[in-house]
Amino acid sequence: MPPSSSADVKPPSAGWIAGIGQRLGGGGVFFFFFFFFLPENARGGGGREGRGRGGGRPPPFRYDVTVRASLWVSVVVVAVLFGWGAWQRRWIADDGLIVLRTVRNLLAGNGPVFNAGERVEANTSTVWTYLVYLGALVGGSVRLEYVVLVLALALSVLGVALAMLGTGRLYAPSLQGRRALILPAGALVYIAVPPARDFATSGLENGLVLAYLGLLWWMMVCWSQRRPDTTERTTGTFDAALAFVAGLSVLVRPELALVGVLALVMMLIATRSWRRRVLIVVAGGLLPVGYQIFRMGYYGLLVPNTAIAKDATGSKWSQGLLYLANFNQPYLLWAPAVLLIGLAAVVWVSRGRPRPRRVVVTEQGWLARMVQSPAAVVAFIVVSGLLQAVYWVRQGGDFMHGRVLLAPLFMLLMPVAVIPVVPPDGTRMARGAGYLFVGATVLLWAAVAGWSLWAANSKGMGADATRVTASGIVDERRFYAQATGHAHPLTAADYLDYPRMRAILRTIDNTPDGALLLPSGNYDQWDVVPALPPPPDAGPGYRGPHTVFFTNLGMTGMNLGLDVRVIDQIGLANPLAAHTARIEDGRIGHDKNLFPDWAIAEGPFLKERPFIPGYIDEEWVRQAQEALTCPATDAMLNAVRAPMGPRRFLSNLVHSYQLTKYRIDRVPLYDLIRCGLPVPEPKEAPYTGMPATGP
């Protein structure tokens, strides 16, 4: 029997050393490490070998106290560092405020919409929208911005902690009865990257994504290490919970379906009965399929409106590669990648021969056993991370520095979120070689920690951080901090100091009969297109319809009442703009641009001079007005504006595919030609007494 399992009681020497460490107080840290690296036969071993209990059942994982303590210390330290770092960079993005406008409409009874009376799903993450809504109900009178701030920060920290715990669990089989120190590695790399701390409190769904991925990773690791003799009832409950979490992926973010579906496929392959497969399919698909039916019937689309607006299935490889380089260059991300690959290799080799465990024969075939294994789960999360990265590079990335590559980075770092430093015990490899691997592990870990310290204090994009250059990518947090004059822009009131914002409030107050507001060249004023005259029976308190046509939907929507329609030329909240074609050379994330002529044409506004600004072409407005009568366009708009009832729901459900694929041309004349409609005759110029063509 190996020396490490020959005794359950420590020899006197081990207790004497530990006692000295306790008496020396602070100096006990030295003795802790000294005692940790003593050979196991000098310490009395790490406990009994894992003998089978009760009918040959393999015992549960038994961690040494140093393993448990160091893992939890690592988790707490990283969580505190991440939380503190994120708080130092706290803010809520303009896009984060978009969600809050939808929540306000939910609270007001208008439904999950951005503008009352117009069913547009302006938020990508369904779970995030309803989680914030639930937080608002619980928070009561607490400002929505603070509800979002707390939720985002808490979920971000929770996600990192779950990832570390899942990886710690991954090492459990090779650490049974052995002394080991668990040190943070990949987790340090993630929290060191400045965008990771920026988007931990941005009001976007990044924190939710981290918590979701961390939970899925931890559950998948537990699933891969399930003991073969576990009762059918216990495994059924866990499988249902895991399938539910995996199926939730598409509602956390649509592209995460690639992760969730892969997890479900692995579970279906590994299960032993058709009854269990049915359970997995029902638990994993009930909620996402149910919501998909609701989305198709209520919104008339197969995907969120944001996916239509940003052409989520499009391809911009060159821009995506530029985005990847923009994320890598300030932090030299290739350096920790090389170090962590080396660290993973050293840790894998230094595990040595695993301790023998009693084998329990199961009904699983070789494929099922291979799929339901820790190695397969590691491959699953790495492949998922690579797929997410490739998807975003293909799609073109984003205009916010680093944002959409944070989730792929997080997944790729999960298998080495923490690493064990294991002293040799002489039973798995020679002691000399063992100490050599310990030294290599410590050296590589120190290099990772050093890089993390350097990257955490990086200046990021430097001078280009707040300038919209040819790449179209900016450091969004620094951009809005500079533009608003607030180091931590958190509330909608903070964004009133953004150019044009206060002028919106003044202009709406000055146009009680209603108007369309268009951004002018002067940041202190708005161009106004008056609404049609009030009806004859309008009382003294009549307030006409207002529409604001502006890119920044979040700050605008949150600073205005829900009776004001807020739309954009990009299409996040504007069904017309969303259904235009993507501009190939447009700024990423902003590569749709609907002309304001359409907003004048479709609204209850005066459409002739002198009521429209000089840069608006009156003929274009007339052509856009005619193009809106195109039957397909009218059907698309009715899908989101007509009163909701059973017939409308079923019609949207049946035609959702065609409505999702439908596109218009942003140039009114070309759209008339596309739809086969006649072009309106040019309006005759009013008589002025002068020749129309000059002398």
Side-chain angles (χ1 to χ4, degrees):
M1 183 177 292
S4 58
S5 60
S6 60
D8 291 325
V9 182
K10 294 180 181 178
S13 59
W16 177 75
I17 291 174
I20 293 179
Q22 292 174 356
R23 294 186 185 96
L24 291 179
V29 175
F30 167 79
F31 278 89
F32 173 77
F33 280 91
F34 175 70
F35 178 66
F36 170 74
F37 280 105
L38 274 177
E40 284 194 67
N41 58 354
R43 296 196 305 263
R48 284 194 180 97
E49 193 69 38
R51 299 192 183 99
R53 301 178 302 169
R57 295 182 180 180
F61 297 127
R62 299 177 63 192
Y63 295 104
D64 186 90
V65 65
T66 56
V67 175
R68 290 184 181 276
S70 58
L71 174 59
W72 281 104
V73 167
S74 295
V75 169
V76 170
V77 168
V78 170
V80 169
L81 287 175
F82 188 36
W84 176 77
W87 183 258
Q88 294 299 312
R89 304 167 79 97
R90 63 193 179 277
W91 71 304
I92 292 181
D94 174 67
D95 282 31
L97 294 175
I98 293 177
V99 179
L100 302 190
R101 169 90 171 190
T102 301
V103 173
R104 285 175 63 199
N105 273 300
L106 277 167
L107 294 171
N110 297 326
V113 299
F114 189 81
N115 289 305
E118 196 168 57
R119 295 180 296 275
V120 174
E121 190 177 13
N123 309 320
T124 304
S125 175
T126 303
V127 174
W128 182 236
T129 299
Y130 287 98
L131 189 62
V132 174
Y133 172 62
L134 179 62
L137 292 177
V138 173
S141 60
V142 179
R143 288 187 68 113
L144 285 176
E145 295 93 324
Y146 297 144
V147 171
V148 164
L149 181 67
V150 171
L151 281 175
L153 182 58
L155 289 171
S156 296
V157 174
L158 177 63
V160 173
L162 286 172
M164 297 175 70
L165 291 173
T167 307
R169 172 85 183 189
L170 184 69
Y171 297 128
S174 61
L175 296 180
Q176 288 192 87
R178 303 178 69 183
R179 293 292 176 101
L181 281 180
I182 305 296
L183 299 177
L188 282 181
V189 171
Y190 183 79
I191 69 171
V193 178
R197 303 194 301 280
D198 286 348
F199 289 102
T201 62
S202 64
L204 297 165
E205 66 276 359
N206 291 76
L208 172 65
V209 170
L210 291 189
Y212 172 77
L213 292 174
L215 177 62
L216 181 63
W217 165 246
W218 179 79
M219 294 184 76
M220 287 293 287
V221 171
C222 293
W223 172 78
S224 72
Q225 295 174 339
R226 176 188 296 161
R227 295 193 297 155
D229 65 321
T230 310
T231 64
E232 187 78 8
R233 180 178 179 181
T234 303
T235 60
T237 303
F238 183 84
D239 282 357
L242 177 54
F244 176 81
V245 171
L248 205 62
S249 59
V250 69
L251 299 180
V252 174
R253 274 196 68 93
E255 70 276 2
L256 290 181
L258 297 172
V259 182
V261 168
L262 184 54
L264 290 172
V265 169
M266 292 176 67
M267 295 181 67
L268 291 173
I269 293 173
T271 194
R272 289 175 281 180
S273 68
W274 283 104
R275 181 179 179 183
R276 181 60 56 83
R277 290 190 178 100
V278 171
L279 173 66
I280 292 170
V281 170
V282 171
L286 188 61
L287 184 59
V289 170
Y291 185 81
Q292 182 63 20
I293 294 172
F294 167 77
R295 172 182 283 151
M296 294 163 66
Y298 189 76
Y299 297 109
L301 294 175
L302 297 175
V303 294
N305 189 71
T306 52
I308 305 292
K310 296 192 177 184
D311 197 8
T313 59
S315 175
K316 281 193 173 183
W317 282 102
S318 59
Q319 177 63 30
L321 291 172
L322 182 64
Y323 186 78
L324 178 62
N326 176 272
F327 185 41
N328 167 73
Q329 191 275 331
Y331 320 113
L332 303 179
L333 290 175
W334 59 267
V338 171
L339 292 172
L340 288 173
I341 290 173
L343 195 55
V346 170
V347 168
W348 183 79
V349 173
S350 64
R351 295 182 312 164
R353 298 187 303 274
R355 295 183 184 274
R357 302 182 74 201
R358 184 182 297 273
V359 176
V360 178
V361 178
T362 70
E363 299 176 3
Q364 284 183 306
W366 66 270
L367 179 60
R369 289 195 300 271
M370 183 178 68
V371 168
Q372 191 174 357
S373 67
V377 170
V378 170
F380 151 75
I381 203 68
V382 170
V383 169
S384 296
L386 291 174
L387 286 175
Q388 292 293 303
V390 170
Y391 166 78
W392 281 114
V393 170
R394 179 185 183 275
Q395 205 269 342
D398 192 39
F399 63 95
M400 302 186 197
H401 171 63
R403 180 177 76 103
V404 297
L405 291 179
L406 289 175
L409 175 66
F410 189 60
M411 283 186 275
L412 292 172
L413 292 172
M414 278 182 177
V416 287
V418 296
I419 55 101
V421 182
V422 187
D425 58 8
T427 63
R428 295 167 176 80
M429 66 173 60
R431 293 194 184 281
Y435 282 115
L436 181 63
F437 278 109
V438 168
T441 303
V442 173
L443 183 63
L444 288 170
W445 179 84
V448 169
W451 174 90
S452 300
L453 184 61
W454 168 79
N457 293 282
S458 169
K459 294 182 179 179
M461 292 179 64
D464 288 339
T466 59
R467 294 192 296 123
V468 182
T469 60
S471 71
I473 305 167
V474 298
D475 183 328
E476 196 82 347
R477 183 187 65 83
R478 290 172 62 184
F479 175 87
Y480 281 116
Q482 175 179 290
T484 62
H486 295 274
H488 305 288
L490 289 171
T491 66
D494 292 335
Y495 279 94
L496 285 174
D497 293 319
Y498 187 82
R500 304 184 192 276
M501 282 299 103
R502 294 190 187 277
I504 290 182
L505 304 181
R506 292 196 303 268
T507 305
I508 288 179
D509 286 341
N510 292 335
T511 54
D513 290 342
L516 168 67
L517 277 63
L518 302 175
S520 72
N522 185 338
Y523 284 0
D524 290 328
Q525 69 181 43
W526 286 75
D527 291 333
V528 172
V529 179
L532 295 174
D537 58 346
Y542 173 79
R543 187 172 180 82
H546 283 91
T547 296
V548 178
F549 186 80
F550 192 44
T551 307
N552 300 82
L553 290 173
M555 64 180 77
T556 307
M558 281 299 289
N559 279 302
L560 296 176
L562 297 179
D563 59 331
V564 178
R565 183 170 180 247
V566 180
I567 57 174
D568 61 316
Q569 74 272 32
I570 299 169
L572 296 179
N574 186 343
L576 272 177
H579 286 272
T580 58
R582 194 180 194 186
I583 302 172
E584 288 301 319
D585 297 325
R587 183 190 177 196
I588 190 68
H590 298 72
D591 40 11
K592 291 191 176 181
N593 188 7
L594 188 72
F595 296 110
D597 310 69
W598 290 88
I600 299 173
E602 71 164 340
F605 308 112
L606 298 173
K607 302 173 179 19
E608 301 176 349
R609 302 199 188 284
F611 305 107
I612 59 176
Y615 53 81
I616 298 294
D617 190 317
E618 190 174 337
E619 293 303 319
W620 276 44
V621 174
R622 295 179 64 233
Q623 291 168 6
Q625 197 171 10
E626 182 68 23
L628 289 170
T629 66
C630 177
T633 302
D634 182 63
M636 182 268 290
L637 292 176
N638 276 331
V640 299
R641 293 176 181 170
M644 177 53 63
R647 289 190 63 182
R648 169 53 52 194
F649 188 91
L650 289 174
S651 176
N652 285 358
L653 186 68
V654 171
H655 298 99
S656 57
Y657 176 77
Q658 294 93 324
L659 293 170
T660 301
K661 300 287 289 183
Y662 184 64
R663 295 292 182 272
I664 67 173
D665 198 299
R666 67 196 191 102
V667 177
L669 176 62
Y670 297 162
D671 198 59
L672 287 172
I673 297 172
R674 177 195 64 82
C675 200
L677 292 175
V679 179
E681 292 293 332
K683 184 180 178 181
E684 294 184 4
Y687 177 73
T688 61
M690 298 293 292
T693 58

